Amino acid sequence: MNDRDVCKSIGKRIKILRQDKGITQEKMAELLSLSSSFYSAMERGSYNIKTETLVTIMNILECSADDIFCDVTKHGYKHKSSK
């Protein structure tokens, strides 16, 4: 998996988790102090996400790193999700 695919997978997972919590992209952008267009691009995998931003996202979504990285890592605390 190349870097671009990793970014897309992480963004897709964040989008799913955000939607499961009933949070809009606009609200996430506001909580992260980002523009809506930049946040949307992060979910599409157009940009690498800074570690600090990922930690904030996990705290907002009340999820673990495994929840976000499950499609891009071979090992984790939880079982890998199916694609």
Side-chain angles (χ1 to χ4, degrees), residues 23-76:
I23 302 172
T24 65
Q25 279 189 339
E26 291 78 16
K27 183 62 178 176
M28 279 295 288
E30 178 185 324
L31 292 169
L32 295 166
S33 300
L34 301 172
S35 71
S36 294
S37 60
F38 185 80
Y39 179 78
S40 175
M42 281 184 359
E43 278 193 1
R44 290 191 314 273
S46 299
Y47 296 104
N48 290 329
I49 304 172
K50 290 197 242 179
T51 304
E52 296 86 2
T53 303
L54 274 171
V55 170
T56 303
I57 288 169
M58 287 185 284
N59 286 327
I60 292 168
L61 299 177
E62 300 175 331
C63 67
S64 70
D66 277 352
D67 294 325
I68 291 179
F69 298 121
C70 63
D71 295 326
V72 296
T73 57
K74 293 181 182 178
H75 303 284

